[in-house]
Amino acid sequence: MKVLVVDDEKHIRDSLKRFMELEGIEVVCAENGLSGKRLLEREVFAACVVDLKMPGISGLELLRWIRNEGLRTPVIMISAYGEINDAVGAM
Amino acid sequence: MVFDIGTSLRQDIPLEEAVGNNVLGFGVYDSQGKTMQRWGSAPQTVPLIMEREMWESHFSFNKDEKTLVLMKEVGMHPDPRKPPPGEKNLLHEKEEDFSKSAKMPTDRASPTFSDERIPRHERPRFFYLEMSTQAYWKKERMLSFTLFGLLSFLAGAMILIQHIYKKNREYKKKLEQQKQLVHLGEAARTLSHEIKNPLSIIRVRTGILKKLSTEETAEDLKIIEEEIDRLRLLTQRVGEFIKNPQGEPETIELDQFTKDILTRFSSRIHYENHCTEKCFVVFDRERLRSAIENLINNAIESDLNNRDIAVHLSSTKDRVTISILDNGKGIPPEIQEVVFDPFFTTKTNGSGIGLSITRRFVEAVGGTITLIPRHPGGIEAKIILRRKKG
């Protein structure tokens, strides 16, 4: 199983990668929304873990693009803000 | 009132014209007490037996103070009991000696007749004047009333100014506090966000370490996790404090709601519902829960002897009261003013955010929260909310 992690914070990317690898999950990381988009165009992932707020293409914009492209990949949004409104917007 | 009796006598001007409207009677009498001129209520003759008393007091009010009577003997020293040095006491002099005494030094205010055209024995000796004091008292009353009105107005204006000044000061203080809260909120929001990211990383890395750990390090990692959770809770509560405190209000039936909350606490909390019928309030469910739980936790933490805590529900026609009563250490008077301030705490591990959040939530729906000291110790935390008709 291959998972895409998109987050602009290196430590969060690395931590998630290391944690999931211990569970036997293959992880590919992208440092921003644009890199994530390019990876999604090339490869198929079992799931995406996407940070909500990123410079450039935000997590929400990336999610909208994924759905517009007709990709059925499950997306997990993560945010340090923890705002209900953002979560509702993401759904 | 000024009138010229001498002119009236000499020029045959009617006395009533000379004396004015307030004079009820006026009389001029000779040395025998017989009338020379008389008008109105003035007596036919001067009662000579009163002569001595008249010296005692020239002016006298009648019983109901509606009139003032002036009786004056002229051409003599005003107080014969105290004659000038070397003179005899006039009270013991004979009638004819009075003309001599007229030449003695006299009080300047005392009227004398010096018109030589009038024979000495025909000269007026006594004056009688009776005046109505009603106009005077009316004026006096008017003046008193005006003064009273003016003083009342001034006192009212003073109180009003003081009240406005006090309100203005309170308003400025509140405004300043709100400004500080806004700045504090902004700072807390930034800080909270900045803390959450590294905290998430620490949490994930701790999870990794936990997976790889041996039994020796497991206990240390557990403590690290607990502390991380404490920090996460703090950032979460700061977030709640910053957010719109009204939340999403809904109608809540308080009896069942309170019972549900209490199931999460130990059995040493005694609940009593004194309401005669179901009580409803409008509040965000999560925030009311948070407010009540905060107060119960404070009550539990304040009593090191673990004595019982009581939760009472009571109501009036349009208010509902939730009281949490403990037997703890109470709040020292010197910190009563600041216990609701954000980040003020007396607890070793407290964040100081609980009471300020509770007050913010309660006040946002028009309620009040007070902490009342109990005898011999402890606090009654009282939330009063508007009651909604069921």
Side-chain angles (χ1 to χ4, degrees):
Chain A
M1 186 166 66
K2 201 174 358 177
V3 169
L4 173 67
V5 172
V6 187
D7 200 308
D8 58 323
E9 284 216 30
K10 185 178 183 301
H11 283 165
I12 290 181
R13 278 198 314 269
D14 292 349
S15 301
L16 288 173
K17 186 173 190 292
R18 178 119 167 80
F19 190 82
M20 283 191 271
E21 278 173 351
L22 281 172
E23 297 292 328
I25 301 166
E26 188 188 342
V27 178
V28 177
C29 289
E31 60 186 19
N32 54 47
L34 188 63
S35 307
K37 203 169 141 184
R38 282 179 187 152
L39 282 165
L40 280 163
E41 282 169 340
R42 284 203 310 266
E43 294 177 52
V44 176
F45 292 96
C48 293
V49 179
V50 182
D51 185 20
L52 190 69
K53 295 203 174 176
M54 289 182 291
I57 298 174
S58 72
L60 275 182
E61 284 167 332
L62 185 62
L63 174 65
R64 207 170 291 128
W65 178 84
I66 291 169
R67 293 291 171 255
N68 287 342
E69 289 293 306
L71 299 173
R72 310 285 294 172
T73 318
V75 178
I76 299 163
M77 303 292 287
I78 54 169
S79 172
Y81 286 95
E83 296 283 343
I84 297 288
N85 290 343
D86 290 331
V88 171
M91 286 189 282
Chain B
M1 183 184 67
V2 176
F3 56 91
D4 184 351
I5 301 304
T7 308
S8 169
L9 289 171
R10 285 194 300 273
Q11 299 178 2
D12 292 333
I13 297 169
L15 271 171
E16 53 267 47
E17 278 181 31
V19 297
N21 293 333
N22 292 327
V23 175
L24 301 174
F26 182 80
V28 182
Y29 306 88
D30 65 10
S31 57
Q32 301 302 310
K34 288 176 185 170
T35 306
M36 292 175 72
Q37 284 272 359
R38 182 185 156 274
W39 170 77
S41 64
Q44 292 286 350
T45 53
V46 174
L48 292 176
I49 197 160
M50 286 173 63
E51 200 175 333
R52 188 170 179 153
E53 288 169 20
M54 283 191 290
W55 280 111
E56 299 289 330
S57 171
H58 296 306
F59 293 92
S60 64
F61 284 102
N62 67 357
K63 278 180 188 171
D64 56 2
E65 295 198 345
K66 281 184 179 168
T67 61
L68 172 73
V69 174
L70 162 67
M71 291 193 223
K72 180 72 178 167
E73 186 175 9
V74 295
M76 295 182 68
H77 190 274
D79 187 355
R81 290 170 302 178
K82 294 179 183 175
E87 297 293 337
K88 289 178 185 175
N89 190 327
L90 294 177
L91 281 176
H92 303 296
E93 285 187 16
K94 290 181 180 175
E95 189 73 23
E96 55 268 27
D97 294 334
F98 285 160
S99 57
K100 278 192 271 173
S101 63
K103 292 170 188 170
M104 290 190 294
T106 56
D107 185 304
R108 282 184 184 181
S110 179
T112 55
F113 277 81
S114 57
D115 195 335
E116 293 303 324
R117 288 172 298 177
I118 302 172
R120 189 171 293 272
H121 66 278
E122 287 178 12
R123 287 183 190 175
R125 178 67 188 276
F126 301 106
F127 283 105
Y128 176 93
L129 174 68
E130 186 173 4
M131 290 177 66
S132 167
T133 55
Q134 282 185 352
Y136 168 77
W137 291 124
K138 196 177 169 188
K139 268 187 187 174
E140 191 81 352
R141 273 198 300 273
M142 279 295 288
L143 187 68
S144 304
F145 185 74
T146 311
L147 268 173
F148 178 74
L150 194 69
L151 282 172
S152 303
F153 174 76
L154 283 174
M158 275 273 286
I159 292 167
L160 187 72
I161 289 168
Q162 214 171 14
H163 179 73
I164 291 170
Y165 174 73
K166 203 177 157 191
K167 282 275 166 199
N168 190 36
R169 219 168 51 170
E170 279 172 12
Y171 174 73
K172 274 186 178 173
K173 197 179 165 188
K174 208 167 180 180
L175 204 68
E176 192 55 40
Q177 277 177 342
Q178 277 173 348
K179 270 186 190 170
Q180 282 176 355
L181 271 181
V182 169
H183 291 148
L184 189 68
E186 287 301 318
R189 190 194 297 273
T190 311
L191 199 64
S192 169
H193 180 234
E194 292 305 318
I195 287 171
K196 270 183 182 173
N197 264 344
L199 214 55
S200 302
I201 297 164
I202 295 168
R203 190 78 171 83
V204 174
R205 292 286 173 172
T206 312
I208 295 166
L209 284 176
K210 241 179 128 180
K211 279 187 179 295
L212 304 171
S213 70
T214 57
E215 272 184 29
E216 283 175 8
T217 54
E219 184 60 29
D220 300 323
L221 289 167
K222 193 178 163 237
I223 292 169
I224 292 170
E225 267 194 333
E226 280 173 7
E227 291 304 306
I228 292 167
D229 285 343
R230 198 153 73 87
L231 281 173
R232 282 164 67 92
L233 188 68
L234 173 63
T235 53
Q236 200 179 327
R237 301 193 85 180
V238 170
E240 279 178 11
F241 181 76
I242 295 161
K243 271 189 269 178
N244 165 29
Q246 273 199 341
E248 291 170 17
E250 57 181 292
T251 303
I252 298 169
E253 195 276 300
L254 270 182
D255 182 50
Q256 192 53 51
F257 185 79
T258 313
K259 281 178 186 164
D260 289 344
I261 291 174
L262 296 182
T263 54
R264 301 167 68 175
F265 291 91
S266 68
S267 58
R268 72 183 178 95
I269 298 176
H270 298 283
Y271 172 63
E272 288 174 28
N273 182 359
H274 300 290
C275 301
T276 49
E277 52 188 330
K278 285 191 172 182
C279 291
F280 296 92
V281 292
V282 177
F283 215 118
D284 181 297
R285 191 168 281 274
E286 275 310 298
R287 286 169 196 195
L288 182 57
R289 181 194 54 74
S290 168
I292 295 173
E293 279 182 0
N294 267 332
L295 295 177
I296 294 175
N297 281 326
N298 280 352
I300 292 169
E301 287 165 20
S302 74
D303 188 5
L304 300 174
N305 297 320
N306 294 329
R307 280 166 293 195
D308 288 352
I309 288 162
V311 176
H312 294 173
L313 200 63
S314 59
S315 65
T316 60
K317 194 181 164 192
D318 48 6
R319 291 275 186 274
V320 186
T321 305
I322 308 159
S323 298
I324 292 111
L325 303 99
D326 67 59
N327 297 295
K329 58 188 176 188
I331 298 173
E334 62 271 17
I335 61 163
Q336 274 177 6
E337 289 280 313
V338 292
V339 285
F340 286 106
D341 286 358
F343 307 114
F344 175 83
T345 185
T346 54
K347 299 175 195 166
T348 317
N349 291 323
S351 63
I353 202 87
L355 269 181
S356 54
I357 287 180
T358 304
R359 184 167 75 168
R360 199 166 150 86
F361 289 169
V362 169
E363 288 183 351
V365 294
T368 57
I369 176 168
T370 43
L371 302 177
I372 305 157
R374 294 181 72 208
H375 185 75
I379 287 287
E380 178 182 0
K382 198 183 260 191
I383 295 177
I384 301 173
L385 300 171
R386 276 200 285 255
R387 184 174 176 178
K388 195 199 171 196
K389 297 288 168 202

